Amino acid sequence: MEFIKGMNIKHNCTAIILLYNLRYPPSGGRRLQRLSDFRSRWLSGLLTFGLLLNCAIGSAQEKRGADIPWTTYEAEHMKTTGTIMGPTYQPYQVETESSGQQCVKLANKGQYVEFTSSGIDNSMVIRYSLPDGRKGNGKRATLSIFINGHFIQRCEISSRYAWLYGKYPFTNDPAAGTPRHFYDEMRVTGLKIAQGDVIRIRRDDQKEDDAEYCIIDLVDLENVARPLNQPPNSLSIADKAFRGNDTSDDYTEALRNCIAQAQQSGKSVWIPAGIFKITGDIMLPANITVQGAGMWYTQLTGDEALYANANRRVRIKGNGSNIHLSDFAITGKLTYRSDKEANDGIVGSYGTNSTISRIWIEHTKVGMWIENSENLKVTGCRMRNTMADGINFCVGMSGSTIENCTARGTGDDCFAIWPTTFLKQVFSPGHNLIVHCTAQLPYLANGAAIYGGDSNKIEACTFTGISQGSAILISTTFPTENKQKGINNNFSGTTVVKDCDIKNSGGFDHEWGWRAAVEICVDKRNIAGIEISNLNIVNSLSNGLSVIAKNEQDEVGLLSAANLRNVTISNFGIGVKGKYGLFINNAAHGSLTIKSSDIPEIKNESENFTITR
């Protein structure tokens, strides 16, 4: 929509008509032809006109964050018979890990939260927390949903996939103390919610339930489209030919057989609506397309009884170019974190020109851990409640994009670019982009992080509630060099962060202390070439922006050619006293130039660091 800028009013009206026709395709002769047609519908469609006018005035490129198809209702703003908790900003507290650092506790059966729907919806997500069991195996409770006073259904919930303790990489033993990962989520489909309906979520424990309380953080309502139909020239894993004599509920071999046949015949793989148990690796060869009926309808799920074996998990592994995945969910059964074990979720190499679109992943170690791919496009995906990263572009990632994706409740960086070298590097890492994404509420680490590489970018993103680290971290902490092979993937070119909104971020990292909402960590190695521009940083729990280092003898990192432009920082230090808009710690070396920015209270502790305004 950039073409709209600079046009006169006549051209802008033409653009409005064009936008209307693009947003609402012709049906029954409704396509607009003249401005008079638009005027005739103005009064009856004032809201639509406002939307189109807004599009005409601004550019689509100015939108920040992902396109969110749901509406979030915060529990602390609902009518409730429970107890509102927070805000609290200290580590290891359920309130700190909550959206807005507030939540509602339902301590007794019959207590509820209640709110009014602002739209027409058919699906719901409830973010909740239950206490853990004495042995770290979780507890159970029941929630009942009412619409306008009418009982709709009961939902069983559990803390089986929540709660971790102690130091990284954490344990399930409550005796280790310092808890984190309080929350999990449940999905409900098939609802009929009209605008103005009153929705009540009530604690309704049954005889077998043993949770002492239930905490509600938020509720998402979404109007989900109907399931997709099987595309032409495709093979379905539900076809009996791919199952043979197998009558179990395990579809691992059926999916493998379907992929093999599709590859031979030049067809695509179709996974219809339903729940399909997967208990082993699904290898994806080159030139294969796998599509489901939609992320709310098609689910590949793990077997809890087998999930302790890292080779029996839901692992979709790329092994070629021109691979295309879309429109399904992956639900793992992982209850602990062990970085010695292989990742489950979507992993492997996707060669050149592959796509991963509209996939929902939760309860896996990572959502996606991708290596050796060029021009990979990851779009419209949702990462939820993982044990580690949401999406990590790791070894040999070049010219690839994470766009319009969301991550919430991840156990490490929501989105990360880490050009490490533990595998053979196929492509020269760099020129990757995280754009129009939204990161929320990880229980460890950061919203988005760049750990090296050539000219990577974070652009037009939104970060909220990053209470365990930084919203954006640019850091040399993790290894990116292999001296034996002559590979050094440290920062080069220009690393860009621009057009981002950051709120309620910059919390306590258990190994680094209080992180800033935006942090540059020049630890042992140099960072040259950073452009940070057009950032709004609001309500930082700690410092608004910082440059820090933990240097060792003979290993000192230097920051150079680093610029801040049009950066606004307001209301910092809301979680801990004695913090600043911009803070430079005493171990930092280098320089930073600030242009046209509103950054109050700058503190430079280092004799080896220069700030130029």
Side-chain angles (χ1 to χ4, degrees):
M1 300 180 195
E2 191 70 25
F3 66 93
I4 295 174
K5 289 187 174 181
M7 288 183 173
N8 61 30
I9 187 64
K10 178 180 178 181
H11 290 151
N12 273 337
C13 290
T14 303
I16 291 172
I17 293 171
L18 175 60
L19 288 169
Y20 183 100
N21 289 330
L22 289 173
R23 184 172 179 85
Y24 303 100
S27 176
R30 287 183 55 84
R31 179 177 289 276
L32 295 179
Q33 301 292 340
R34 303 177 303 277
L35 183 59
S36 59
D37 294 333
F38 181 77
R39 291 196 191 102
S40 69
R41 297 176 191 168
W42 188 354
L43 292 177
S44 63
L46 185 59
L47 183 60
T48 299
F49 174 77
L51 173 63
L52 296 171
L53 184 59
N54 182 63
C55 292
I57 293 172
S59 163
Q61 294 179 355
E62 293 173 351
K63 182 185 74 68
R64 299 182 177 189
D67 255 336
I68 304 295
W70 62 85
T71 302
T72 295
Y73 301 82
E74 299 284 351
E76 65 270 20
H77 299 150
M78 299 177 186
K79 178 181 177 182
T80 184
T81 55
T83 302
I84 297 176
M85 302 171 63
T88 297
Y89 306 101
Q90 299 303 308
Y92 316 122
Q93 304 294 321
V94 67
E95 298 96 321
T96 305
E97 210 174 282
S98 304
S99 176
Q101 285 64 61
Q102 289 186 284
C103 51
V104 172
K105 185 175 186 177
L106 307 180
N108 301 307
K109 182 177 180 178
Q111 289 187 319
Y112 64 84
V113 292
E114 184 178 274
F115 63 98
T116 301
S117 169
S118 62
I120 300 172
D121 298 291
N122 57 20
S123 302
M124 176 186 297
V125 171
I126 303 173
R127 190 170 194 253
Y128 69 88
S129 176
L130 299 180
D132 199 3
R134 288 190 305 167
K135 297 182 179 180
N137 56 347
K139 291 196 172 186
R140 297 173 298 182
T142 300
L143 295 175
S144 288
I145 299 173
F146 297 80
I147 299 179
N148 298 328
H150 299 290
F151 170 77
I152 302 301
Q153 70 179 82
R154 288 190 178 92
C155 304
E156 297 178 358
I157 58 176
S158 168
S159 56
R160 171 69 172 154
Y161 300 102
W163 293 89
L164 293 173
Y165 305 90
K167 295 183 179 180
Y168 168 85
F170 313 116
T171 174
N172 293 101
D173 184 1
T178 59
R180 65 179 67 239
H181 189 17
F182 300 99
Y183 280 102
D184 201 356
E185 298 179 4
M186 65 164 299
R187 293 191 283 177
V188 184
T189 59
L191 302 173
K192 294 182 179 179
I193 300 172
Q195 184 176 0
D197 280 353
V198 177
I199 299 167
R200 175 176 293 187
I201 299 172
R202 188 180 76 185
R203 183 174 170 185
D204 196 13
D205 294 346
Q206 306 299 296
K207 289 182 179 180
E208 62 273 17
D209 294 332
D210 57 354
E212 294 85 358
Y213 61 81
C214 175
I215 291 173
I216 305 296
D217 182 24
L218 56 83
V219 176
D220 294 334
L221 295 185
E222 182 174 352
N223 192 25
V224 179
R226 294 176 61 85
L228 300 172
N229 295 320
Q230 181 173 352
N233 201 37
S234 64
L235 304 175
S236 172
I237 70 164
D239 192 320
K240 293 182 179 179
F242 299 121
R243 303 213 64 195
N245 296 323
D246 188 356
T247 58
S248 72
D249 60 351
D250 191 328
Y251 276 80
T252 308
E253 287 303 320
L255 182 51
R256 289 170 176 167
N257 293 337
C258 190
I259 289 171
Q261 182 62 39
Q263 185 187 29
Q264 293 177 7
S265 62
K267 296 184 177 182
S268 64
V269 174
W270 166 249
I271 310 177
I275 299 175
F276 301 91
K277 186 182 291 185
I278 302 297
T279 59
D281 287 0
I282 303 299
M283 301 297 295
L284 300 172
N287 305 312
I288 196 73
T289 295
V290 180
Q291 181 184 348
M295 62 169 65
W296 282 88
Y297 299 106
T298 298
Q299 182 181 148
L300 305 182
T301 186
D303 186 334
E304 186 171 12
L306 300 174
Y307 228 75
N309 183 339
N311 295 318
R312 301 301 302 274
R313 297 175 182 168
V314 186
R315 183 180 297 113
I316 311 298
K317 190 170 185 179
N319 189 32
S321 298
N322 195 35
I323 296 171
H324 304 283
L325 307 176
S326 66
D327 302 301
F328 59 87
I330 294 174
T331 304
K333 302 292 182 180
L334 194 61
T335 62
Y336 65 91
R337 175 168 177 170
S338 174
D339 287 351
K340 295 179 181 179
E341 298 177 348
N343 295 314
D344 51 330
I346 294 179
V347 302
S349 168
Y350 289 78
T352 58
N353 303 322
S354 294
T355 60
I356 302 174
S357 308
R358 299 176 301 280
I359 293 179
W360 185 320
I361 304 177
E362 60 182 315
H363 295 159
T364 54
K365 183 180 169 188
V366 299
M368 302 181 194
W369 188 278
I370 311 296
E371 301 147 355
N372 287 323
S373 304
E374 185 174 56
N375 195 34
L376 169 68
K377 307 294 184 185
V378 180
T379 58
C381 295
R382 305 183 194 181
M383 307 296 110
R384 298 285 187 273
N385 310 305
T386 58
M387 284 290 164
D389 301 68
I391 302 175
N392 193 314
F393 279 180
C394 198
V395 177
M397 295 298 297
S398 175
S400 295
T401 302
I402 304 169
E403 183 174 11
N404 198 37
C405 293
T406 62
R408 185 166 71 196
T410 61
D412 217 306
D413 296 330
C414 293
F415 307 105
I417 298 171
W418 178 28
T420 190
T421 59
F422 61 82
L423 292 176
K424 181 180 178 181
Q425 187 171 288
V426 176
F427 302 104
S428 180
H431 301 277
N432 299 297
L433 173 64
I434 302 170
V435 62
H436 291 307
C437 289
T438 296
Q440 300 172 295
L441 305 167
Y443 57 88
L444 176 71
N446 312 289
I450 300 177
Y451 296 110
D454 181 10
S455 302
N456 295 304
K457 293 182 180 181
I458 299 169
E459 184 175 334
C461 292
T462 296
F463 304 91
T464 60
I466 315 297
S467 64
Q468 315 293 321
S470 297
I472 299 173
L473 177 66
I474 301 172
S475 174
T476 57
T477 299
F478 296 115
T480 58
E481 185 177 7
N482 188 323
K483 292 182 180 179
Q484 292 180 342
K485 297 181 179 179
I487 298 174
N488 186 349
N489 295 330
N490 194 27
F491 288 91
S492 60
T494 302
T495 300
V496 173
V497 176
K498 70 176 185 177
D499 302 332
C500 293
D501 289 333
I502 298 166
K503 183 178 180 182
N504 287 37
S505 298
F508 187 81
D509 182 316
H510 70 298
E511 292 185 347
W512 284 81
W514 288 92
R515 293 271 198 186
V518 176
E519 190 155 287
I520 303 171
C521 182
V522 195
D523 192 32
K524 307 179 187 65
R525 287 170 289 156
N526 297 338
I527 300 180
I530 294 180
E531 295 289 337
I532 298 176
S533 63
N534 302 326
L535 265 58
N536 293 321
I537 304 173
V538 181
N539 293 343
S540 298
L541 277 60
S542 179
N543 296 307
L545 193 149
S546 66
V547 181
I548 66 168
K550 282 186 180 181
N551 295 308
E552 297 177 359
Q553 188 174 4
D554 300 324
E555 290 185 285
V556 176
L558 180 73
L559 179 66
S560 61
N563 297 286
L564 303 182
R565 180 172 53 83
N566 293 334
V567 174
T568 301
I569 298 175
S570 58
N571 201 22
F572 50 84
I574 65 173
V576 60
K577 295 180 179 180
K579 298 302 177 180
Y580 303 91
L582 171 61
F583 174 70
I584 315 297
N585 85 338
N586 57 11
H589 289 67
S591 61
L592 178 68
T593 299
I594 303 173
K595 304 175 182 178
S596 304
S597 295
D598 184 4
I599 304 177
E601 295 193 41
I602 297 175
K603 177 69 171 180
N604 184 359
E605 291 186 343
S606 175
E607 296 178 354
N608 301 300
F609 197 93
T610 302
I611 298 174
T612 301
R613 301 200 69 166

